[in-house]
């Protein structure tokens, strides 16, 4: 599985929605329930899934799926 | 509250003249802005001593970012020092009385609490921004921290947003024109802002004070409760019109100068719960505390002791965040209560939302949230709660209760 597919599984798990399909342009506006609270849950779940760590500034700067993918790629 | 005085008239003059200087692109533009900013802070400071302490407190974060090599390790030390010195300089009365300390500085530094936000943002963001190619000399830094548009009461700018905005169009030379329609819209916003501050909020303030003073001589408990509710009504509308009016003035005036300041209000009293309220009221503060207090504390709890209990972690982190934010608003015991009630309101809103989601399921919960009757009932409940908690800001409510 590539990064995007694994990330999609994390999104489905965090937002409890098996229908979610992500693209690099997907933002909080496209996913029901993606607010500042679930954003942190998402970041922690991504950290656990990929075995990476994001700083405080990186956590708040990730605005879309593409940002997640680029940061993960730079770490793994 | 903004009061009509010689200083505020000088501020009006500055807002009117600054666009002519700041819309003109040339290499000395940021130096001119710095001169204006230093002139404002110098005029506002009560003494040379006050100015010197302000200068030292502002310069330390810049020197840290510029010259300290192992910044990541030392960042927490600097942040703790900034917060501790802020508490000292702001003169938190209840802390000083608990610790039996005397206040040494006989003055308050203008804009101190907003300096703290900008300084912490700069220290934490700059190493990351440097990697992205951002540069920041002393003039840029001082313009960011001292910008007269946001000096007194925000909105809270981030360094990245400030730098992107201030340095845009720098490849152009000469005067950057403004469209007629935009010019009228911005002037209209400034005039509306002054009307909100000096007319509407002045009237509301008068009645809030009248009803608060009446509380000292109430004849019965029922009379006191009714009087307190009327006071809370006027006070919460005063806060909205005064603060949003001030934001209209600075956002409009900065727009005339070609600068963009983020919006700070989005009809907050139409919120259906306290969480939504803080997404609509003082938005830039909410975003700052979300990024720098809530996110790290929530992440810490989720990565550690509450890994399997997201809602409990959210509740603890949210309460802590809004309690701290409440105390930041002021230095008396009333603001501790204000922080406590904001934290409590947020946690209750969160737990109720989560419980409801579980009980109703996704679809039914959505239908419930979109029900017009539910929307209006929850709006009224939220506004009532917020107006009661706002009573703790600006008025000595706790001494009154204790009496």
């Amino acid at each position: 599985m590539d990064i995007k597919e694994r990330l999609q599984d994390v999104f489905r798990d965090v937002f409890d929605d098996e229908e979610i399909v992500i693209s690099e342009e997907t933002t909080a506006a496209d996913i029901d329930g993606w607010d500042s609270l679930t954003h942190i849950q998402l970041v922690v779940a991504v950290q656990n899934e990929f075995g990476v760590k994001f700083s405080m500034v990186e956590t708040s700067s990730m605005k879309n799926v593409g940002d997640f993918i680029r940061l993960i790629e730079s770490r793994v | 509250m903004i009061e009509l005085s010689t200083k505020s008239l000088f501020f009006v003059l500055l807002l009117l003249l600054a666009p002519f200087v700041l819309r003109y692109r040339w290499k000395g533009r940021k130096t001119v802005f710095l001169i204006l900013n230093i002139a404002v802070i110098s005029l506002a400071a009560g003494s040379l001593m006050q100015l010197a302490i302000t200068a030292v407190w502002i310069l330390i974060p810049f020197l840290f970012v510029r010259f300290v090599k192992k910044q990541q390790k030392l960042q927490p030390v600097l942040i703790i020092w900034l917060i501790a010195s802020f508490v000292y300089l702001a003169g938190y009365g209840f802390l000083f009385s608990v610790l039996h300390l005397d206040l040494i500085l006989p003055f308050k530094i203008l804009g101190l609490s907003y300096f703290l936000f900008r300084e912490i943002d700069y220290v934490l963001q700059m190493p990351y921004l440097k990697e992205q190619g951002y540069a920041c000399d002393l003039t840029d830094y001082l313009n960011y921290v001292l910008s007269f548009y946001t000096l007194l009461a925000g909105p809270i700018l981030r360094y990245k947003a400030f730098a992107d905005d201030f340095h845009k169009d720098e490849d152009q030379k000469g005067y950057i024109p403004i469209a007629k329609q935009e010019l009228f819209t911005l002037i209209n916003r400034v005039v509306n802002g002054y009307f909100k501050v000096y007319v509407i909020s002045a009237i509301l303030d008068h009645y809030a004070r009248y009803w608060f003073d009446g509380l000292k001589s109430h004849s019965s408990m029922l009379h006191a409760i009714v009087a307190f509710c009327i006071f809370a009504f006027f006070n919460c509308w005063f806060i909205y019109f005064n603060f949003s009016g001030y934001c209209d003035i600075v956002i409009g005036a900065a727009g005339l100068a070609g600068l963009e300041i983020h919006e700070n209000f989005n009809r907050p009293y139409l919120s259906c719960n306290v969480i939504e309220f803080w997404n609509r009221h003082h938005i830039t503060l909410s975003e700052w505390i979300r990024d720098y207090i809530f996110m790290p504390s929530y992440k810490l709890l989720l990565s550690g002791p509450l890994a399997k209990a997201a809602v409990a972690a959210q509740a603890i982190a949210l309460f802590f965040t809004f309690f701290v934010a409440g105390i930041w608003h002021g230095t008396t015991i009333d603001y501790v209560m204000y922080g406590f009630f904001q934290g409590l309101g947020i946690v209750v809103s969160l737990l109720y939302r989560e419980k409801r989601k579980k009980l109703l399921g996704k679809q039914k919960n959505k239908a419930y949230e979109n029900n017009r009757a539910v929307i209006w009932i929850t709006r009224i409940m939220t506004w009532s709660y917020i107006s009661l908690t706002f009573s703790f800001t600006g008025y000595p409510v706790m001494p009154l209760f204790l009496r």
Side-chain angles (χ1 to χ4, degrees), chain B residues 22 28 43 49 52 67 107 111 124 139 141 156 169 194 197 217 238 241 243 248-249 279 285 332-333 341 354:
Chain B
L22 294 175
L43 281 170
M49 174 74 150
F67 296 111
F107 53 78
L124 294 174
T139 309
Y141 172 74
I156 301 163
D169 302 327
Y194 272 103
V197 171
S217 55
F238 158 73
F241 279 104
F243 196 10
D248 285 338
I249 295 169
N279 284 324
L285 170 73
T332 63
I333 193 76
F341 284 121
E354 293 304 315

Side-chain angles (χ1 to χ4, degrees), chain B residues 86 92 113-114 116-117 156 282 285 323-330:
Chain B
F86 164 75
Y92 275 77
S113 22
Y114 286 91
L116 179 73
F117 283 127
I156 301 163
H282 207 166
L285 170 73
F323 183 61
V324 171
I327 295 175
W328 165 84
H329 277 80

Side-chain angles (χ1 to χ4, degrees), chain B residues 7-48:
Chain B
K7 280 177 183 172
S8 61
L9 287 175
F10 165 77
F11 193 64
V12 174
L13 202 65
L14 183 70
L15 295 182
L16 289 172
L17 296 177
F20 294 101
V21 180
L22 294 175
R23 276 199 169 266
Y24 196 78
R25 294 290 184 275
W26 65 297
K27 64 177 180 179
R29 177 170 164 262
K30 70 179 186 181
T31 311
V32 172
F33 189 42
L34 179 64
I35 292 167
L36 292 176
N37 288 327
I38 290 177
V40 171
I41 192 87
S42 305
L43 281 170
S47 66
L48 266 179

